[in-house]
Amino acid sequence: MIEKVYNYSTEDHNAVEKIIMDDNLNYIHMVFNKSEGLPVHMSNSNVYMTILRGTLSIKLGEQEVHEYKKGEILQIPYGIKMDVKNFHDQVLELIVVKAPASKNYNK
C-alpha cells in the first residue's frame, strides 16, 4: 500500500487530536463544545485554521475577538498570541495545519 491512512474522531466531545506530526507539517483536528477552547498561547509556526462547523471566536495579539464560521480559513503568522474559544451553542470543529511543522510538537 503506497498511501498512509489517518483517522480522526467524528464525535462531538472535546478533542485535540494530533493526526499528522511529521517534519513537513502538523495536522490537528479539534472539537470544542460551548465554553471550551485552547489555553492562551503563541503560534509556533504559520497556522492555517479551517472551520468545518460552528463558529470560532479568536483573539489574536491585542485585537478584539473576531468570529469565523464554517467554510472560512484563517492564516495566522508565527509568533502571534492566540486565544481560541467556542462561545456558541453549536459544536466548533477545526482542522489546524502548521507549516512548516512546529518542532515543539513532532512527538
Side-chain angles (χ1 to χ4, degrees):
M1 192 160 134
I2 296 171
E3 69 276 9
K4 184 171 182 178
V5 177
Y6 298 89
N7 295 298
Y8 62 92
S9 170
T10 58
E11 303 295 319
D12 286 345
H13 56 77
N14 185 29
V16 176
E17 300 176 294
K18 297 174 181 178
I19 308 296
I20 303 170
M21 306 299 281
D22 65 21
D23 290 336
N24 299 309
L25 63 82
N26 299 153
Y27 188 96
I28 306 161
H29 176 244
M30 298 182 183
V31 177
F32 299 114
N33 289 292
K34 186 174 184 177
S35 302
E36 296 176 338
L38 297 173
V40 176
H41 65 286
M42 301 295 283
S43 58
N44 54 7
S45 183
N46 298 305
V47 177
Y48 303 87
M49 290 184 162
T50 303
I51 296 87
L52 300 177
R53 60 183 167 136
T55 301
L56 168 66
S57 299
I58 188 167
K59 181 175 179 172
L60 298 172
E62 299 305 316
Q63 71 183 20
E64 298 296 319
V65 173
H66 292 161
E67 293 195 332
Y68 300 94
K69 296 183 185 269
K70 174 182 174 179
E72 294 184 292
I73 302 170
L74 293 164
Q75 178 186 8
I76 302 164
Y78 172 83
I80 301 298
K81 184 177 175 181
M82 302 171 59
D83 188 2
V84 176
K85 298 284 187 263
N86 179 8
F87 293 135
H88 300 275
D89 290 332
Q90 184 181 13
V91 172
L92 170 62
E93 184 173 16
L94 307 168
I95 294 295
V96 175
V97 175
K98 295 181 180 184
S102 164
K103 299 304 177 196
N104 297 339
Y105 291 98
N106 281 346
K107 301 293 179 200

